[in-house]
Amino acid sequence: MPVTEKTLSAAGVKVVGAVRTFNGGVCAVDHLSLEIGPGEFVAILGPSGCGKSTLLRMIAGLDRPDQGVVQVEGDTSIGRVGYVFQDAHLLPWRNVLTNVALPLELAGVDHAERITRATAVLSEVGLGDFIHRYPAELSGGMRMRVSLARALVTSPVLLLMDEPFAALDEITRQKLDEMLRQLWAERDMTIVFVTHSIAEASFLAERAVVLTRRPARIVTDHAIDLPVDRPAVLRGESVFAREMRTLYAALEEGMRA
């Protein structure tokens, strides 16, 4: 993505020769290097257990490489790096509004401002009419929207997402993909999105990085050749099928590596 006003404050990511080995000598990531520019949307694909989540956790600062460097280039102050897990991890005793406002509360933002900001971001994700509901009263897709809103409420410059829609039905998943793509287009942030789905990676991302089976190494770093505007009907077009075939071939290569 070229440098524009939108990308000036978004964060970049640089991974140089990263190695991560766990107890017992299991190597999850093997001398992996990757650069993600400010404002990019990058999907990380690979076989189950290949090290995708380990890489994402190192980018987030939740884990550290044994060798090499993993760094976020930009504003890394509290709240500027958001993380969305596969499970929504909502607090059941808090309603939707106060779940979303929690990061602001922990950061010491005053009550009126955090309620205003949480209400606004809930409207962005289509939950403006559900602010007083509790997690048990929501569908899986709605809970994931709340989780996403909680990550967005601090206006992150980097959003890390670890298979957030994997447990949802296909229709819900596609609708959330469309919403996320729109949010990325409107906000000043970089997104790194881990997924098993070649269709999801093709629809969402500007680049797809395909990893080998464990330990993770890069098979291909592929620029998705699709228009910036991606309506739902794009999934039925030949150009979309072409991108999916390219990623499928790379995944097969990664399984053999």
Side-chain angles (χ1 to χ4, degrees):
M1 174 180 287
V3 175
T4 65
E5 240 179 68
K6 175 183 181 299
T7 65
L8 288 176
S9 62
V13 175
K14 183 174 286 187
V15 181
V16 182
V19 177
R20 183 67 176 100
T21 302
F22 293 103
N23 292 340
V26 176
C27 183
V29 177
D30 183 22
H31 292 92
L32 188 146
S33 295
L34 172 66
E35 191 160 347
I36 297 170
E40 284 196 281
F41 195 136
V42 175
I44 307 291
L45 283 156
S48 295
C50 76
K52 300 185 298 296
S53 295
T54 300
L55 175 61
L56 202 69
R57 286 176 60 83
M58 289 193 293
I59 294 171
L62 300 175
D63 197 0
R64 293 188 177 185
D66 300 301
Q67 298 177 41
V69 175
V70 179
Q71 64 185 33
V72 174
E73 300 176 327
D75 183 358
T76 57
S77 56
I78 293 175
R80 302 317 304 276
V81 178
Y83 204 115
V84 181
F85 297 88
Q86 186 170 342
D87 190 296
H89 293 298
L90 303 179
L91 300 178
W93 59 88
R94 283 180 173 250
N95 64 21
V96 165
L97 182 64
T98 53
N99 260 290
V100 171
L102 180 60
L104 300 177
E105 182 180 335
L106 295 174
V109 176
D110 72 77
H111 181 267
E113 183 180 348
R114 64 180 185 254
I115 294 304
T116 297
R117 289 169 63 178
T119 301
V121 77
L122 281 164
S123 293
E124 276 192 274
V125 301
L127 291 178
D129 295 330
F130 296 87
I131 61 175
H132 299 302
R133 298 283 185 91
Y134 285 82
E137 301 175 289
L138 305 177
S139 67
M142 293 170 76
R143 286 194 294 271
M144 191 49 65
R145 286 177 188 243
V146 176
S147 179
L148 177 59
R150 184 176 57 192
L152 292 174
V153 76
T154 58
S155 300
V157 294
L158 174 63
L159 183 61
L160 306 172
M161 308 186 75
D162 193 359
E163 300 188 66
F165 310 145
L168 303 176
D169 66 85
E170 191 63 23
I171 297 299
T172 301
R173 184 173 184 161
Q174 288 185 10
K175 289 186 180 300
L176 288 177
D177 285 344
E178 291 159 20
M179 181 193 71
L180 179 61
R181 177 84 188 175
Q182 184 63 34
L183 286 168
W184 170 75
E186 294 170 352
R187 283 174 167 260
D188 186 11
M189 63 180 174
T190 305
I191 298 181
V192 184
F193 190 100
V194 166
T195 180
H196 279 107
S197 169
I198 57 176
E200 187 167 59
S202 298
F203 185 84
L204 282 174
E206 301 298 293
R207 288 167 58 199
V209 176
V210 181
L211 305 179
T212 63
R213 59 183 178 175
R214 192 177 65 213
R217 299 180 300 276
I218 294 177
V219 176
T220 189
D221 186 341
H222 174 67
I224 303 293
D225 187 16
L226 292 173
V228 173
D229 183 24
R230 298 182 189 176
V233 294
L234 179 66
R235 294 184 176 93
E237 296 182 7
S238 60
V239 288
F240 189 76
R242 178 198 65 210
E243 292 299 325
M244 289 180 60
R245 285 195 300 270
T246 298
L247 296 183
Y248 185 81
L251 279 172
E252 283 197 314
E253 183 182 346
M255 288 294 291
R256 294 192 297 268

